[in-house]
Amino acid sequence: MAVGKENTEVAAAVPMDKGGEILKPRTDKREYRRIVLKNSLQVLLISDPETDKCAASMNVSVGSFSDPEGLDGLAHFLEHMLFYASEKYPEEDSYSKYITEHGGSTNAYTSTEDTNYHFDINTDSFDEALDRFAQFFIKPLMSADATMREIKAVDSENQKNLLSDSWRMRQLLKHLSREDHPYHKFSTGNMDTLHVQPQAKGIDTRSELIKFYDKHYSANIMHLVVYGKESLDKTQCLVEGMFQEIRNTNKSVPRFPGQPCTQDHLQVLVKAVPIKQGHKLTVSWPVTPSIHHYEEAPCMYLGHLIGHEAEGSLFHALKHFGWATSLYAGEADWTMEYSFFDVSVNLTDAGHEHMQDIIGLLFRHIKLLQQSGVSQWIFDELSAISEAEFHYQAKIDPISYVVDISSNMTKYPTKHWLVGSSLPSKFNPAIVQKILNELSPTNVRIFWKSNNFEGQTDKVEPWYNTAYSFENITELTIQEWVKSAPDVNLILPTPNVFIPTDFSLKDVKDKEIFPVLLRKTSFSRLWYKPDKKFFKPKAYVNIDFNCPLASTSPEAAVLSNTFVWLLVDYLNEYAYYAQTAGLDYGLSISDNGFELYLVGFNHKLRILLEAVMQKIAKFEVKPDRFSVVKETMTKAYQNYKFQQPYQQALSYCSLVLQDNTWPWTEELDALSHLEAEDLASYVPMLLSRTFVECYIAGNVEKNEAESMVKYIEDVLFSGPKPISRPLFPSQFLTSRVVELGKGMRYFYHQEGSNPSDENSALVHYIQVHQDEFAMNSKLQLFSLIAKQATFHQLRTVEQLGYITSLSRSLKAGVYGVQFIIQSSVKGPGHIDSRVESLLKDLESKIYKISDEEFKSNVTTLIDMKLEKHKNLSDESYFYWEEIQNGTFKFNRRDKEVAALRELKKEELIDFFSEYIKVDAPKKKSLSICVYGSQHVKEMASDKDEVASHFTEIKDIVGFRKSQPLYGSLKGWNQLKL
């Protein structure tokens, strides 16, 4: 194993805490150093000379478990407040403004025992950003003026979660625990807990906030990770100068001993009513936290076996009976003091009727594991897979990397800060057996959620108003379920043939830096990009099967989707082995057919590719599986109406703009009439004409890439009666977008599809141009300049809603910008007027921009564009998008940077005046207004106001069909074959 020796130089006054060596991947060229500052702040420094983003993360070992009595959510509220300002940088929001204006991002999260703050930024702006970040923990200004505004932001964040089943169930689990244990608490906070109740008791929330900060924020319980481009010595000097001012009050890390659940909360069956359609069974046991035995990995071992999906597994049996669509097993909620091991099963309607059988089979499977003993070979397989994935892991974004490590620093010895629990290495059957014995009927909590329980419950969880019932369940009852469950041959998995053993790198001589068109026939086209940058034994394969019939109608779209779902269903038992061995795959609907990707270790990728192709070639409709997939898809469509309002608005926006898309209501209607025979007739027609677009990249030689594509061609196009024939030139499909009228403002008003949701949403979309380097650069520069101003005005100052953003939009090569706001306090009509007002403010900002500020923003955008791809997948997504869009501008970044270097300030102002500002002559805007229950009464008057000045869209599909479309960027390239 390769290890990076930590440097033992530290701040002079503090003796080194001998943490040992830091274990790092053998392919990792970065340097690491652990230091401890004079104030006892532990720091990990990372030097990466190749990086074009720097990052930092501070983990503070205090979280929502430390919320004072009567102030639920205070730790989370403090996390929000630290972003505002500091004594050294007193301008409100100046930290976020600086980060955004220099190509970065910033965020934070509060968990039960930790609060984590983090950011990334372009390398040349890192020093000042780090200093601004340090002030969070030195002298923050938690102004009285900001307090109420940020309580509103926390309340808005909570509002968006109220109808989320995952949040609701999590709180129900907590509700059914000891009231004197912090696990029982409500951690997010809202207006009631942070303002109304404290005020009624004469408590000043801001004073309590400052007390909380002073009490808990001490350097000795903080862990900092700093990821820089400079040498470790330089970064160390920087960190010492900035962070040793954080005061150390020698606090102990708060600990909360004892189990959340007493016997009153065990051996229970809880029935709950969810928001969305469906049934789910979660069986949960309190167990010994495996963090204390992370190298022995008992929960990983048991999760691997109980959650296995191959033939002979519990899931395979449940699937065989048509009772389950997915199963997950593993350690769930945990701290150093307690842990829960969960088995969660998504049930079919039939599975819901067989809950007792499912519980019986689960306990029978646990008994099998107890009787079989702990297997050395299974542990060795897990260890081998984990070793390979750790040592050949791809680089990830620095911001994600530092967050992972800083949270690890609080739990693991120095040696394992990078690896955490991901590398099981010590085989210890007794420890695994101990956890296994804790998965007993006397220790169980069963949570069963289903819409069928509506009207059959007698209790309500107070924070999310989840209806539920509660009953005790005896060991004898569960034993009876075990006996009465159907007779099934549950067995352990077989050895995994997909575990890679060849990690050698190919000796590729090609000098091309972009994908090359390696092979072209009437059947297919192969783009090839060997890896000369990441040097990992991995490959990336993307294959798009262009089928003209795939989306010609709502019915065709549903049939194509059902075909893909069934393919995944049929492949599951076999492909699961590949997925557990670091070789992933996926099948999905694409714009013009369906798409297959494979990514991971290249050693055995070809085997999986051949298996997928054989399933496609020999596809048949199995009526029992068709019924299960149809039921699952039906619920997925029905649950569209429970999407967040901003997601609904984005869907309507796509429906207005994108040709050959269909309302989900029409697709659901088509699905309801679908029979197995319809699919059996359709699939041969779907595949009868196709063109295969391929991209193969990574540790693959030319002849291997060509061989894969030839194999695909042989499967589909060879023989006297081939499955497929080439497309006619006129059949090549293109994705096209509606071209909105110049100088036009369009509105679409719609009531939110969930009447229980109070939140409203607005998507204000401005369409600008079709792909062109100079125009792209102007639009991106405007977005960069306007992004933070939008967030500051609409979220921070006006508090319209927690979800507030400005982003660029790209649809089939057509560029624009979109403002997205979701609000429980204001309706979409008002929000749209505030966006218009913001655009007037931006007009002043753009027109008055100084030469220095203009150049600074251009430099930032250039740095962002020149940011290197972090890994093979990142690079492949970029090139695949060029291929899919038909643009093939693989040198896009360089060309757009060249356009930026030539751009003059006057050109940006002219661009804004022509396309963006409120009365711009070429402006094309579309406002999608979704009305929540609080604001639905405003819809009629908003419509009347629009009708007198602007164009209202009453029928989306009718409107789309009446409008001209942008010419396709893809069509001409396809026809050249």
Side-chain angles (χ1 to χ4, degrees):
M1 289 185 183
V3 292
K5 289 220 176 184
E6 63 176 88
N7 190 302
T8 54
E9 294 176 41
V10 291
V14 180
M16 188 62 186
D17 175 4
K18 299 290 184 183
E21 298 172 329
I22 297 175
L23 177 67
K24 71 173 189 175
R26 60 176 70 102
T27 54
D28 189 353
K29 296 176 183 174
R30 293 169 290 202
E31 293 183 307
Y32 298 84
R33 177 186 295 170
R34 173 186 181 273
I35 62 172
V36 182
L37 303 190
K38 291 176 182 176
N39 57 0
S40 297
L41 175 66
Q42 290 196 60
V43 186
L44 180 66
L45 310 173
I46 305 173
S47 172
D48 180 4
E50 296 178 354
T51 193
D52 32 37
K53 272 277 198 294
C54 294
S57 172
M58 178 74 90
N59 197 90
V60 187
S61 292
V62 63
S64 60
F65 275 9
S66 297
D67 285 344
E69 193 65 37
L71 279 165
D72 286 10
L74 193 69
H76 178 218
F77 177 44
L78 174 59
E79 170 225 300
H80 277 239
M81 286 295 288
L82 291 192
F83 281 79
Y84 266 86
S86 63
E87 196 171 282
K88 185 172 181 179
Y89 299 101
E91 184 188 344
E92 187 174 276
D93 257 2
S94 60
Y95 164 76
S96 298
K97 182 172 184 285
Y98 184 85
I99 299 285
T100 303
E101 287 178 349
H102 294 88
S105 61
T106 179
N107 212 333
Y109 68 80
T110 304
S111 65
T112 55
E113 296 185 315
D114 297 279
T115 308
N116 194 294
Y117 303 85
H118 41 275
F119 76 92
D120 66 359
I121 199 163
N122 291 345
T123 54
D124 57 358
S125 306
F126 186 49
D127 292 10
E128 183 175 333
L130 197 63
D131 189 44
R132 288 173 176 273
F133 182 65
Q135 301 308 309
F136 277 39
F137 315 103
I138 296 170
K139 285 191 177 174
L141 293 180
M142 291 176 270
S143 72
D145 178 50
T147 300
M148 181 46 73
R149 277 185 282 143
E150 210 51 36
I151 288 175
K152 288 178 181 176
V154 170
D155 189 64
S156 177
E157 184 177 353
N158 181 60
Q159 284 279 344
K160 80 172 178 62
N161 299 334
L162 289 177
L163 297 176
S164 161
D165 280 328
S166 58
W167 282 92
R168 292 163 71 87
M169 287 306 295
R170 189 181 302 123
Q171 192 63 42
L172 181 58
L173 265 67
K174 293 164 68 173
H175 179 64
L176 298 172
S177 67
R178 277 172 46 197
E179 290 188 24
D180 61 345
H181 194 286
Y183 178 76
H184 187 82
K185 288 181 177 180
F186 169 59
S187 58
T188 308
N190 60 22
M191 182 64 71
D192 198 45
T193 65
L194 294 172
H195 176 64
V196 177
Q197 288 183 24
Q199 188 179 53
K201 296 173 187 172
I203 296 171
D204 180 64
T205 302
R206 179 170 173 267
S207 299
E208 293 299 318
L209 189 75
I210 293 166
K211 276 188 212 168
F212 186 89
Y213 179 85
D214 289 342
K215 178 179 178 182
H216 292 291
Y217 275 53
S218 173
N220 72 302
I221 63 166
M222 297 181 182
H223 292 83
L224 174 68
V225 182
V226 178
Y227 191 115
K229 192 178 182 74
E230 302 294 344
S231 70
L232 291 175
D233 289 339
K234 281 190 177 179
T235 306
Q236 179 169 336
C237 288
L238 194 68
V239 168
E240 287 172 349
M242 292 177 182
F243 287 89
Q244 58 194 10
E245 284 183 58
I246 300 173
R247 64 201 175 92
N248 176 17
T249 55
N250 285 311
K251 297 293 180 192
S252 297
V253 174
R255 286 288 174 236
F256 305 92
Q259 292 299 308
C261 296
T262 66
Q263 194 54 48
D264 290 342
H265 309 108
L266 303 176
Q267 292 184 268
V268 297
L269 172 61
V270 180
K271 298 175 182 176
V273 181
I275 298 295
K276 291 186 174 182
Q277 295 292 313
H279 324 282
K280 186 174 184 178
L281 191 62
T282 298
V283 185
S284 183
W285 297 267
V287 296
T288 304
S290 64
I291 184 69
H292 300 300
H293 306 287
Y294 64 90
E295 290 177 285
E296 291 85 352
C299 287
M300 183 191 289
Y301 177 92
L302 293 173
H304 171 68
L305 292 181
I306 298 172
H308 214 279
E309 298 184 17
E311 201 164 331
S313 67
L314 172 63
F315 177 67
H316 182 258
L318 299 180
K319 187 178 160 184
H320 169 76
F321 289 118
W323 292 348
T325 58
S326 67
L327 184 149
Y328 161 82
E331 196 168 19
D333 208 350
W334 64 271
T335 68
M336 302 297 282
E337 304 291 338
Y338 71 83
S339 177
F340 293 97
F341 187 95
D342 286 2
V343 177
S344 292
V345 189
N346 281 309
L347 306 174
T348 61
D349 291 345
H352 178 73
E353 299 301 320
H354 287 270
M355 181 277 287
Q356 297 176 6
D357 289 328
I358 293 168
I359 300 285
L361 286 172
L362 170 58
F363 276 100
R364 194 183 293 170
H365 187 54
I366 291 167
K367 189 175 182 183
L368 166 72
L369 297 180
Q370 290 170 329
Q371 291 171 342
S372 304
V374 182
S375 300
Q376 174 91 48
W377 74 265
I378 294 175
F379 183 87
D380 290 345
E381 270 200 353
L382 271 180
S383 185
I385 293 166
S386 300
E387 279 260 338
E389 291 191 328
F390 176 68
H391 286 295
Y392 297 103
Q393 64 183 270
K395 263 190 179 180
I396 59 175
D397 290 328
I399 190 169
S400 302
Y401 196 55
V402 295
V403 170
D404 288 347
I405 297 170
S406 66
S407 59
N408 278 352
M409 289 168 74
T410 66
K411 303 175 186 77
Y412 301 96
T414 307
K415 178 182 179 181
H416 292 144
W417 279 353
L418 306 188
V419 69
S421 296
S422 67
L423 206 56
S425 56
K426 294 179 179 176
F427 181 62
N428 189 326
I431 288 173
V432 178
Q433 200 69 46
K434 181 178 187 297
I435 303 287
L436 191 52
N437 291 340
E438 290 173 344
L439 308 184
S440 74
T442 57
N443 205 29
V444 75
R445 284 155 58 90
I446 301 170
F447 291 83
W448 186 13
K449 69 175 184 182
S450 170
N451 305 97
N452 291 11
F453 297 140
E454 191 119 29
Q456 299 174 25
T457 58
D458 57 355
K459 293 179 174 58
V460 176
E461 187 279 318
W463 297 108
Y464 292 82
N465 291 323
T466 303
Y468 74 97
S469 66
F470 177 100
E471 61 189 86
N472 293 106
I473 192 156
T474 66
E475 182 178 9
L476 183 62
T477 301
I478 290 177
Q479 286 170 351
E480 287 171 357
W481 292 353
V482 173
K483 285 177 192 169
S484 62
D487 191 20
V488 174
N489 186 28
L490 296 172
I491 57 172
L492 295 176
T494 57
N496 191 340
V497 298
F498 280 101
I499 295 176
T501 54
D502 181 359
F503 301 106
S504 60
L505 298 179
K506 314 285 182 179
D507 185 18
V508 178
K509 299 289 194 288
D510 301 70
K511 293 180 181 177
E512 294 91 350
I513 58 173
F514 297 119
V516 293
L517 184 56
L518 186 60
R519 185 173 184 274
K520 185 170 68 169
T521 70
S522 60
F523 309 117
S524 71
R525 180 161 56 181
L526 168 60
W527 298 91
Y528 171 67
K529 171 72 172 65
D531 176 27
K532 291 179 288 184
K533 186 188 299 184
F534 307 111
F535 306 109
K536 300 283 194 296
K538 296 184 177 183
Y540 187 100
V541 175
N542 231 320
I543 303 163
D544 194 14
F545 299 86
N546 289 272
C547 305
L549 288 179
S551 57
T552 51
S553 67
E555 189 172 45
V558 167
L559 283 160
S560 301
N561 211 1
T562 310
F563 165 62
V564 167
W565 277 53
L566 275 171
L567 274 177
V568 173
D569 184 80
Y570 296 168
L571 282 160
N572 189 65
E573 285 79 8
Y574 180 77
Y576 186 80
Y577 280 107
Q579 291 173 311
T580 58
L583 179 55
D584 199 12
Y585 90 105
L587 280 155
S588 60
I589 291 296
S590 63
D591 285 346
N592 302 316
F594 66 99
E595 191 175 311
L596 165 67
Y597 79 84
L598 302 100
V599 60
F601 291 108
N602 59 274
H603 182 200
K604 299 182 180 180
L605 183 145
R606 171 69 181 260
I607 300 169
L608 182 59
L609 172 63
E610 291 184 7
V612 175
M613 287 308 303
Q614 286 303 316
K615 282 291 182 202
I616 292 172
K618 296 172 181 174
F619 181 82
E620 59 180 63
V621 181
K622 299 174 185 173
D624 59 332
R625 298 313 303 160
F626 171 83
S627 297
V628 169
V629 163
K630 179 181 175 180
E631 180 191 311
T632 308
M633 286 178 64
T634 299
K635 286 172 186 164
Y637 276 114
Q638 289 170 340
N639 286 331
Y640 279 175
K641 67 183 176 187
F642 300 113
Q643 286 182 317
Q644 293 267 4
Y646 82 91
Q647 294 170 319
Q648 295 174 38
L650 287 169
S651 294
Y652 289 130
C653 191
S654 292
L655 207 54
V656 169
L657 296 170
Q658 291 187 271
D659 197 30
N660 268 346
T661 54
W662 315 103
W664 68 265
T665 49
E666 292 184 7
E667 293 188 5
L668 175 58
D669 185 53
L671 179 61
S672 68
H673 298 101
L674 205 63
E675 300 298 338
E677 301 77 44
D678 301 321
L679 186 63
S681 303
Y682 172 78
V683 171
M685 290 193 293
L686 174 74
L687 298 175
S688 65
R689 295 278 175 183
T690 189
F691 179 79
V692 185
E693 186 89 72
C694 306
Y695 174 81
I696 299 178
N699 194 37
V700 181
E701 293 175 339
K702 273 184 181 178
N703 62 329
E704 291 178 292
E706 288 183 297
S707 173
M708 284 189 220
V709 176
K710 282 177 185 171
Y711 175 80
I712 294 168
E713 284 189 357
D714 286 345
V715 169
L716 293 178
F717 298 100
S718 66
K721 290 186 176 180
I723 296 165
S724 304
R725 296 182 187 278
L727 294 186
F728 294 113
S730 60
Q731 283 184 297
F732 281 99
L733 293 166
T734 56
S735 300
R736 300 182 66 186
V737 173
V738 167
E739 184 173 6
L740 299 175
K742 289 179 183 174
M744 298 292 289
R745 281 191 70 188
Y746 303 93
F747 281 79
Y748 178 70
H749 302 87
Q750 185 58 261
E751 202 172 321
S753 51
N754 179 7
S756 300
D757 198 336
E758 295 183 351
N759 291 285
S760 294
L762 170 81
V763 170
H764 183 105
Y765 168 78
I766 302 172
Q767 190 178 72
V768 182
H769 69 287
Q770 197 165 29
D771 189 32
E772 192 271 323
F773 292 137
M775 285 289 283
N776 297 351
S777 300
K778 292 171 191 173
L779 180 65
Q780 289 158 11
L781 187 60
F782 162 73
S783 299
L784 177 66
I785 292 168
K787 185 177 181 179
Q788 178 57 25
T790 298
F791 186 87
H792 176 73
Q793 182 61 36
L794 301 184
R795 155 82 189 269
T796 306
V797 176
E798 298 187 32
Q799 283 297 323
L800 290 178
Y802 178 76
I803 296 171
T804 300
S805 69
L806 165 66
S807 58
R808 286 184 296 118
S809 168
L810 173 60
K811 298 178 190 297
V814 176
Y815 286 76
V817 289
Q818 55 193 20
F819 297 85
I820 302 170
I821 300 104
Q822 180 167 297
S823 178
S824 60
V825 294
K826 296 291 182 182
H830 174 84
I831 298 169
D832 197 66
S833 72
R834 299 314 303 150
V835 171
E836 291 286 298
S837 176
L838 171 71
L839 285 168
K840 287 175 183 168
D841 295 342
L842 288 171
E843 187 176 327
S844 173
K845 184 179 176 71
I846 297 285
Y847 288 178
K848 293 178 182 175
I849 193 169
S850 67
D851 291 343
E852 184 183 351
E853 190 180 354
F854 174 78
K855 285 176 186 171
S856 171
N857 278 288
V858 168
T859 301
T860 295
L861 187 54
I862 288 172
D863 288 345
M864 291 167 72
K865 290 201 152 297
L866 293 177
E867 189 178 334
K868 295 184 286 289
H869 298 296
K870 299 292 180 292
N871 52 57
L872 180 64
S873 292
D874 192 13
E875 179 188 78
S876 297
Y877 294 151
F878 178 83
Y879 291 134
W880 183 242
E881 187 172 44
E882 291 291 332
I883 293 165
Q884 285 290 75
N885 285 336
T887 46
F888 306 111
K889 294 174 181 174
F890 300 128
N891 62 346
R892 174 178 301 279
R893 292 178 170 197
D894 297 334
K895 291 291 187 182
E896 289 182 354
V897 164
L900 276 168
R901 294 193 199 281
E902 297 294 318
L903 186 64
K904 296 180 175 58
K905 183 174 80 172
E906 293 72 28
E907 291 177 286
L908 176 67
I909 292 169
D910 289 346
F911 167 81
F912 179 83
S913 299
E914 275 191 81
Y915 295 97
I916 305 293
K917 78 172 194 173
V918 171
D919 54 354
K922 295 182 181 177
K923 183 172 179 180
K924 302 176 280 187
S925 76
L926 167 64
S927 294
I928 306 286
C929 303
V930 172
Y931 290 78
S933 58
Q934 285 223 102
H935 310 113
V936 73
K937 59 184 179 296
E938 300 167 18
M939 189 163 74
S941 57
D942 286 352
K943 276 186 171 186
D944 290 342
E945 193 168 328
V946 164
S948 57
H949 299 95
F950 310 111
T951 304
E952 186 189 347
I953 299 171
K954 295 178 180 176
D955 168 20
I956 285 183
V957 177
F959 170 80
R960 188 176 71 202
K961 288 183 175 178
S962 70
Q963 299 301 303
L965 301 173
Y966 277 100
S968 170
L969 296 169
K970 199 170 184 178
W972 291 106
N973 288 301
Q974 291 281 30
L975 293 171
K976 285 179 186 175
L977 284 171

